Amino acid sequence: MAPIGKIYTYPNNFRVQRAQALAALNGHEIEIDPAFVFGKTNKTPEFLAKFPMGKTPAFESADGFCLAEGHAICRYAADSGPNSGQLLGSDAKARARVEEWSCFAEHELVAHMMPPLYMCVLHIAPFDEARYAQSVASLERALKRLAVALADGRKFLVGDHVSMADVMVAGPLMILGKHLMDREMRALVPSVVEYLKGLLEIPEVGNAFEALELCEVRVR
């Protein structure tokens, strides 16, 4: 596969894995800069000249086009190849639905999984019982919404083929499965687990992510 550019990131970043999956589904690849060191490289004048916020992931295309923000990078990867119609939607309604699920992934999954991860996995925030409980309740609500969309054995969120919507949702689901979506929570939404496993069977998706890990008890 031909590279469409390189990405600057710390290791095992699900936002980068999503972009790599979308690029692969378009017959391309995105290289990861092996020299990047988070907290150093992204503070250099050279990096800030390209990416003024100094955030990661940051993407630089083969022709020097620079992008920050994971969602924008994923959209560029999805739109940069022969399968862009499938990945982004072939008409206005499908494109809107793909965007709806992409926003859902960020606002209902990522936003609510990060506080418990900051408190219990990364240990960069003090434990707050009320906030933890609120996050878990919000995640359960979001997963139940996802299960409704997957009723009757649906394999994909938009149409009959994998799209950007599925890849955007798969990223946080992988992290949730490892740390928060425990046996008790999975019992509420078995279709979501089967959906994720099905997505990982698609080579371009499975190869971009690490192996699926499902925790028995959520982190505390």
Side-chain angles (χ1 to χ4, degrees):
M1 292 188 291
I4 58 171
K6 62 182 175 181
I7 207 162
Y8 304 94
T9 183
Y10 52 83
N12 302 321
N13 187 340
F14 76 90
R15 292 182 172 87
V16 173
Q17 293 165 341
R18 294 190 300 193
Q20 289 179 308
L22 289 164
L25 288 165
N26 256 330
H28 299 301
E29 64 177 335
I30 296 177
E31 299 174 335
I32 294 179
D33 189 325
F36 180 84
V37 178
F38 184 73
K40 288 185 63 177
T41 308
N42 55 314
K43 293 184 178 180
T44 63
E46 294 80 10
F47 189 91
L48 294 173
K50 297 177 181 178
F51 310 101
M53 293 291 290
K55 295 171 64 175
T56 59
F59 171 82
E60 184 174 5
S61 73
D63 63 1
F65 175 63
C66 293
L67 264 182
E69 306 298 343
H71 190 150
I73 296 168
C74 284
R75 187 172 181 84
Y76 180 86
D79 206 16
S80 296
N83 293 322
S84 60
Q86 171 189 317
L87 295 173
L88 293 175
S90 57
D91 58 38
K93 290 181 179 179
R95 288 191 291 272
R97 192 68 73 196
V98 167
E99 191 66 15
E100 179 185 39
W101 282 112
S102 298
C103 292
F104 171 90
E106 297 306 302
H107 301 309
E108 302 297 338
L109 296 178
V110 176
H112 296 306
M113 80 180 186
M114 293 314 297
L117 295 182
Y118 287 148
M119 290 187 277
C120 305
V121 177
L122 300 174
H123 302 292
I124 57 177
F127 186 79
D128 182 321
E129 181 67 44
R131 192 177 187 194
Y132 181 94
Q134 183 182 40
S135 294
V136 169
S138 295
L139 286 168
E140 287 184 352
R141 178 172 177 266
L143 290 171
K144 288 176 181 178
R145 167 65 186 96
L146 189 55
V148 170
L150 297 170
D152 302 321
R154 287 187 60 85
K155 295 182 179 181
F156 306 108
L157 292 172
V158 182
D160 298 324
H161 302 280
V162 64
S163 72
M164 178 174 161
D166 301 300
V167 176
M168 295 299 283
V169 167
L173 285 182
M174 294 291 291
I175 307 300
L176 287 172
K178 184 175 182 178
H179 297 293
L180 291 163
M181 191 170 62
D182 61 4
R183 181 178 63 252
E184 179 182 348
M185 194 180 292
R186 292 196 299 274
L188 300 174
V189 289
S191 62
V192 173
V193 180
E194 293 308 307
Y195 161 73
L196 178 58
K197 290 179 178 178
L199 291 179
L200 295 174
E201 290 176 358
I202 300 170
E204 294 88 345
V205 178
N207 291 339
F209 292 101
E210 299 175 317
L212 177 62
E213 296 182 47
L214 297 174
C215 63
E216 289 298 299
V217 180
R218 70 179 68 108
V219 294
R220 289 283 298 181

